[in-house]
Protein backbone atom coordinates (compact mmCIF):
# COMPACT_ATOMS: atom_id res chain seq x y z
CA UNK A 1 0.00 0.00 0.00
CA UNK A 2 1.16 3.46 -0.80
CA UNK A 3 0.31 6.69 0.96
CA UNK A 4 -2.10 7.46 -1.86
CA UNK A 5 -5.54 8.88 -1.19
CA UNK A 6 -8.19 6.79 -2.94
CA UNK A 7 -11.91 7.30 -3.45
CA UNK A 8 -14.19 4.87 -1.63
CA UNK A 9 -15.03 3.19 -4.93
CA UNK A 10 -11.30 2.70 -5.66
CA UNK A 11 -10.81 1.23 -2.18
CA UNK A 12 -13.70 -1.22 -2.66
CA UNK A 13 -12.41 -2.16 -6.12
CA UNK A 14 -8.82 -2.76 -4.95
CA UNK A 15 -9.70 -4.43 -1.62
CA UNK A 16 -13.02 -6.27 -2.00
CA UNK A 17 -14.28 -8.39 0.90
CA UNK A 18 -11.59 -7.16 3.29
CA UNK A 19 -11.23 -5.06 6.40
CA UNK A 20 -9.24 -1.91 5.66
CA UNK A 21 -7.54 0.44 8.12
CA UNK A 22 -7.96 4.06 7.04
CA UNK A 23 -6.47 7.48 7.76
CA UNK A 24 -6.96 10.94 6.25
CA UNK A 25 -10.65 10.24 5.76
CA UNK A 26 -12.75 12.72 3.84
CA UNK A 27 -16.49 12.21 4.30
CA UNK A 28 -19.37 13.00 1.98
CA UNK A 29 -21.02 16.30 2.88
CA UNK A 30 -23.75 15.89 5.54
CA UNK A 31 -23.06 12.14 5.68
CA UNK A 32 -20.96 9.56 7.47
CA UNK A 33 -20.13 7.94 4.10
CA UNK A 34 -16.46 7.90 3.16
CA UNK A 35 -15.58 9.95 0.10
CA UNK A 36 -11.84 9.19 0.12
CA UNK A 37 -9.08 7.97 2.43
CA UNK A 38 -5.60 6.51 2.65
CA UNK A 39 -5.48 2.73 3.15
CA UNK A 40 -2.82 1.95 5.76
CA UNK A 41 -3.47 -1.79 6.06
CA UNK A 42 -5.89 -4.55 5.14
CA UNK A 43 -6.99 -7.78 6.78
CA UNK A 44 -4.53 -9.52 4.45
CA UNK A 45 -1.64 -7.94 6.35
CA UNK A 46 -3.03 -7.10 9.82
CA UNK A 47 -5.57 -8.96 11.93
CA UNK A 48 -8.94 -7.35 12.62
CA UNK A 49 -8.07 -7.26 16.33
CA UNK A 50 -4.79 -5.46 15.60
CA UNK A 51 -6.66 -2.92 13.43
CA UNK A 52 -9.06 -2.22 16.29
CA UNK A 53 -6.09 -1.73 18.61
CA UNK A 54 -4.58 0.66 16.07
CA UNK A 55 -7.83 2.68 16.03
CA UNK A 56 -7.80 2.94 19.83
CA UNK A 57 -4.12 3.97 19.74
CA UNK A 58 -4.80 6.70 17.16
CA UNK A 59 -2.77 5.01 14.41
CA UNK A 60 -5.92 4.61 12.28
CA UNK A 61 -9.05 6.73 12.09
CA UNK A 62 -11.23 3.68 11.50
CA UNK A 63 -11.34 0.14 10.22
CA UNK A 64 -14.21 -0.88 7.98
CA UNK A 65 -15.28 -3.85 5.84
CA UNK A 66 -15.32 -2.87 2.17
CA UNK A 67 -18.24 -4.96 0.96
CA UNK A 68 -20.64 -5.51 3.88
CA UNK A 69 -23.33 -6.93 1.59
CA UNK A 70 -21.01 -9.91 0.94
CA UNK A 71 -20.31 -10.52 4.64
CA UNK A 72 -22.96 -12.84 6.04
CA UNK A 73 -23.38 -12.94 9.80
CA UNK A 74 -24.72 -16.28 11.00
CA UNK A 75 -26.44 -16.66 14.31
CA UNK A 76 -27.88 -19.54 16.23
CA UNK A 77 -31.22 -20.74 14.99
CA UNK A 78 -33.43 -22.48 17.49
Amino acid sequence: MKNQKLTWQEIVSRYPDRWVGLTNIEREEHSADIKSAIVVCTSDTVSEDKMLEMVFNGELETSIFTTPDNNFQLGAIQ
Side-chain angles (χ1 to χ4, degrees), residues 1-57:
M1 274 147 281
K2 300 173 181 163
N3 265 350
Q4 177 183 5
K5 198 161 200 177
L6 303 171
T7 67
W8 179 247
Q9 289 307 316
E10 290 171 324
I11 293 169
V12 170
S13 177
R14 289 185 190 188
Y15 309 105
D17 301 320
R18 290 178 184 83
W19 282 91
V20 290
L22 304 177
T23 61
N24 295 55
I25 297 171
E26 182 180 349
R27 300 216 180 253
E28 296 287 348
E29 188 174 341
H30 306 295
S31 173
D33 294 341
I34 296 170
K35 183 176 182 179
S36 62
I38 294 175
V39 178
V40 174
C41 55
T42 72
S43 52
D44 289 337
T45 59
V46 175
S47 73
E48 295 165 35
D49 289 340
K50 178 64 177 172
M51 272 192 237
L52 185 58
E53 181 181 317
M54 292 170 76
V55 171
F56 286 125
N57 290 337

Side-chain angles (χ1 to χ4, degrees), residues 62-73:
T62 194
S63 61
I64 188 169
F65 197 75
T66 57
T67 46
D69 292 341
N70 296 344
N71 188 18
F72 299 108
Q73 298 292 324

